[in-house]
Amino acid sequence: MSEENKTSNDNEQPTNQNPQPAIMINTQYIKDLSLEIPHAPEIFKEITSAPEVQINVEVGYQTLENNFYNVELKINMNGDVNHQKLFILELTYAAVVALNVPSEHTEPVLMIEIPRLIFPFARNVVTNCLVEGGLPPFMINPIDFVTMYNNRKNQH
């Protein structure tokens, strides 16, 4: 009777029911966030045009364990209005990720693809922080992480 209940799978190819994704973001978080408006409240009267804003972006990563990595996107912004410091914003936005990629692709994925994936979230934190700080909304333009990565490789 047990023979009758068996099904034949001779013609089916074995399939992997749960393939590992190449990239898996386990968590995203704000590691550090600081907003200074050193000349508040007087400086608010000076905002009659768009401030001059300088932005510096850095990407780094740390190996955790078993193909897990912590990727950090650091954004430093300085805004000036009428040659006075309007604001200083520093954000370190990070993600813990698991990778299932060939080893030769690990660094480019960590330095290009992961920052590209988490950048919109970091940009949203920056915009909200500035607005909540009483400053005009500011949207950071998209960043070319490929060029950043290539420039970094050429410097070493």
Side-chain angles (χ1 to χ4, degrees), residues 3-132:
E3 292 284 319
E4 295 173 10
N5 292 335
K6 286 186 180 177
T7 58
S8 175
N9 291 333
D10 291 340
N11 296 332
E12 294 180 19
Q13 295 294 323
T15 59
N16 189 349
Q17 295 292 333
N18 296 316
Q20 284 281 79
I23 298 171
M24 186 166 176
I25 296 178
N26 293 309
T27 189
Q28 297 182 57
Y29 63 98
I30 297 171
K31 185 172 182 177
D32 184 36
L33 175 61
S34 171
L35 173 64
E36 296 178 48
I37 307 174
H39 301 291
E42 297 83 11
I43 194 74
F44 295 126
K45 293 185 291 186
E46 301 292 324
I47 304 174
T48 57
S49 61
E52 295 177 34
V53 179
Q54 295 179 345
I55 303 172
N56 182 41
V57 177
E58 295 178 23
V59 176
Y61 70 90
Q62 173 187 10
T63 303
L64 300 175
E65 59 185 41
N66 299 330
N67 294 329
F68 282 85
Y69 302 87
N70 188 67
V71 179
E72 292 185 351
L73 181 58
K74 294 182 180 183
I75 300 173
N76 294 313
M77 295 176 63
N78 284 285
D80 294 330
V81 63
N82 295 334
H83 305 291
Q84 292 184 66
K85 187 60 60 196
L86 175 59
F87 70 88
I88 303 164
L89 185 140
E90 298 173 349
L91 170 65
T92 302
Y93 193 83
V96 175
V97 300
L99 296 185
N100 184 28
V101 297
S103 60
E104 65 269 14
H105 298 303
T106 299
E107 186 176 82
V109 168
L110 292 170
M111 298 295 289
I112 298 168
E113 189 61 21
I114 301 303
R116 188 186 68 75
L117 291 171
I118 67 173
F119 174 74
F121 301 97
R123 177 172 58 187
N124 191 48
V125 169
V126 167
T127 300
N128 288 338
C129 186
L130 291 173
V131 169
E132 294 295 326

